[in-house]
Amino acid sequence: MGGMPPSAVTRDIAGRSPRGPWADVADADWNDWRWQQRNRVRSVDALARVIHLTDGEREAIRATGAEFRMAITPYYAALMDPDDPSCPIRAQAVPRMEELVRGPHDLDDPLGEDGAAMPVPGITHRYPDRVLFYVTHNCPVYCRHCTRKRKVSDPQSAAARDQIALGLDYIASHPEVRDVLVSGGDPMTLSDDRLDALFAALRAIPHVEVIRLCTRNPVTLPQRFTPELLRRLAKHHPVYVHTHFNHPRECTPEAARCLRLLADHGFNVGNQMVLLRGVNDDAEVVRQVNHWLLRQRARPYYLLQADLAVGTSHFRTPVATGLDIIRALRGHTSGMAVPHLIIDAPGGGGKIPLVPEYIEHQDDERIVFRNYAGERYEYPAR
Ligand code: SF4
């Protein structure tokens, strides 16, 4: 057996990703999420030990700090190409001067989460049967394209314990809420005890059927998901996990092991990829990530057109780019690898699915369409 090549599935978890300047750190530290949190890269000098910073990046780290801080786990920082300023990990984690530009379509609260849709602080209740519940505004890595950058990374705006209690009261007093998205920031920045207590409190509300955990930790700090924590959270099933892989460079052995551990503990993981110019605005990049996700038992769920958050216009792609990507995937690979393309309507209109046009003609008698290969077919209209 020793001479057999590794299968496509075992290959994903073999070895470890690069460690950059942390090559001498003991495995026990590197694999400890608390060590990763404590040693996050937060300054120009610290980042200059990891990558060759451009003058623009140096200036941007200083200029954007007051608005939206920089923080990068050593694990995620070590995935960067030290010599390539257009590296997709670097684009997502290192500030750029474009963040200070307010584009003509930019909005402070792009999804209308804070206004009329927020009945109590920390709860957005927009759809009839589900709520968003913000439990922290901290994250291991501050993604430069973050939709909630207006409050994320600001320690003053983090949800205090009494705010979380208010949110739980709101959910308990609204029997129509059957689905709760626990979000932030990244909820996985809370301690094991607080997460367990929060999930137990939600599970104790009789009308809450489904809990969803929205977290980018599988991408930026996969070490956070320890078997011990997952055993504790699995008591509160059904718990679904929404995560946010954007590029194949994030598809590391550590991330693969994390997703498999989640699946082994009964967590159904879906990926919400955000379309970003220069990162993943390319069908082949999306296909590679989605095939990798499926090998780890995680499901490509959404491909999101970037929101109109202030200072993110340099990331936005034309709407046609997403449609072209879906057209390039649909039929050419398994349907499970094809996510829903979504625009989250500005101002709080909710998620609108976009589908490439396949119908050429439609009347009372027949529908004429083209399949994925461009061949024409007809189907009776009724
Ligand atoms: S992990 Fe999510 S909430 Fe945190 S900075 Fe990234 S996109 Fe924003």
Side-chain angles (χ1 to χ4, degrees):
M1 292 294 285
M4 295 246 309
S7 75
V9 173
T10 54
R11 207 162 52 218
D12 290 331
I13 52 168
R16 60 185 216 189
S17 55
R19 294 191 183 173
W22 296 277
D24 295 333
V25 170
D27 282 354
D29 283 336
W30 186 261
N31 296 325
D32 177 354
W33 66 272
R34 292 178 195 82
W35 183 92
Q36 291 279 341
Q37 280 278 21
R38 272 198 309 274
N39 287 279
R40 288 190 301 166
V41 176
R42 296 164 177 271
S43 67
V44 169
D45 290 347
L47 190 54
R49 288 194 281 276
V50 188
I51 58 176
H52 300 121
L53 283 166
T54 65
D55 291 345
E57 286 170 328
R58 284 175 189 274
E59 196 185 345
I61 294 167
R62 296 193 179 99
T64 60
E67 274 302 306
F68 187 47
R69 290 185 294 153
M70 178 184 77
I72 314 171
T73 53
Y75 163 79
Y76 199 64
L79 301 179
M80 293 182 199
D81 184 329
D83 300 312
D84 178 11
S86 67
C87 161
I89 305 294
R90 199 156 155 170
Q92 293 180 73
V94 179
R96 290 184 182 167
M97 288 307 281
E98 290 98 314
E99 291 181 30
L100 298 172
V101 174
R102 190 179 179 106
H105 304 293
D106 289 5
L107 298 169
D108 291 315
D109 178 11
L111 304 182
E113 293 171 325
D114 295 346
M118 183 167 278
V120 295
I123 292 272
T124 296
H125 193 175
R126 190 195 335 273
Y127 299 103
D129 67 344
R130 52 208 183 275
V131 294
L132 258 172
F133 189 8
Y134 310 100
V135 297
T136 174
H137 286 156
N138 296 322
C139 308
V141 172
Y142 293 120
C143 314
R144 307 320 298 178
H145 55 280
C146 180
T147 290
R148 300 199 185 116
K149 61 197 298 187
R150 67 188 179 282
K151 48 190 181 183
V152 165
S153 104
D154 174 4
Q156 304 306 319
S157 70
R161 279 170 200 265
D162 53 349
Q163 183 176 314
I164 292 179
L166 270 180
L168 288 166
D169 284 349
Y170 179 86
I171 295 165
S173 62
H174 284 76
E176 71 275 22
V177 176
R178 45 163 287 285
D179 180 2
V180 177
L181 287 90
V182 178
S183 188
D186 199 315
M188 297 301 294
T189 50
L190 300 183
S191 69
D192 289 14
D193 286 346
R194 286 192 74 191
L195 283 167
D196 193 8
L198 175 68
F199 280 43
L202 285 170
R203 189 47 73 211
I205 299 173
H207 51 268
V208 172
E209 298 172 11
V210 167
I211 300 171
R212 296 197 248 174
L213 170 62
C214 306
T215 173
R216 210 178 181 207
N217 271 247
V219 184
T220 56
L221 183 55
Q223 298 83 357
R224 177 69 187 93
F225 289 93
T226 60
E228 188 209 341
L229 173 62
L230 290 181
R231 271 194 298 276
R232 292 179 72 176
L233 298 186
K235 289 180 307 193
H236 312 299
H237 273 318
V239 178
Y240 289 73
V241 174
H242 292 322
T243 193
H244 177 172
F245 283 88
N246 282 337
H247 192 273
R249 220 178 161 97
E250 297 168 339
C251 302
T252 65
E254 292 86 348
R257 289 195 286 267
C258 167
L259 292 180
R260 291 182 194 195
L261 202 58
L262 281 159
D264 288 346
H265 286 80
F267 294 86
N268 190 309
V269 181
N271 191 53
Q272 306 199 356
M273 181 184 285
V274 179
L275 263 176
L276 300 173
R277 184 192 295 272
V279 173
N280 56 12
D281 51 347
D282 176 277
E284 178 56 19
V285 165
V286 177
R287 190 189 62 79
Q288 280 181 29
V289 174
N290 290 357
H291 284 182
W292 176 87
L293 286 165
L294 289 170
R295 292 199 297 276
Q296 323 317 324
R297 289 175 277 159
R299 178 93 200 260
Y301 180 35
Y302 285 150
L303 178 63
L304 293 157
Q305 174 74 15
D307 295 324
L308 301 175
V310 173
T312 62
S313 57
H314 55 296
F315 279 119
R316 262 172 244 145
T317 53
V319 173
T321 302
L323 288 165
D324 287 345
I325 290 172
I326 298 297
R327 201 178 283 109
L329 296 178
R330 174 67 66 195
H332 297 273
T333 188
S334 42
M336 286 203 304
V338 185
H340 302 287
L341 175 63
I342 295 287
I343 290 187
D344 222 330
K351 294 191 170 58
I352 317 284
L354 301 185
V355 182
E357 190 57 83
Y358 292 101
I359 296 177
E360 269 195 4
H361 172 82
Q362 189 169 8
D363 58 33
D364 289 348
E365 303 299 322
R366 61 188 190 131
I367 298 175
V368 181
F369 42 67
R370 289 191 185 272
N371 72 355
Y372 76 98
E375 297 151 349
R376 287 178 97 220
Y377 291 87
E378 275 190 35
Y379 194 87
R382 46 189 172 179

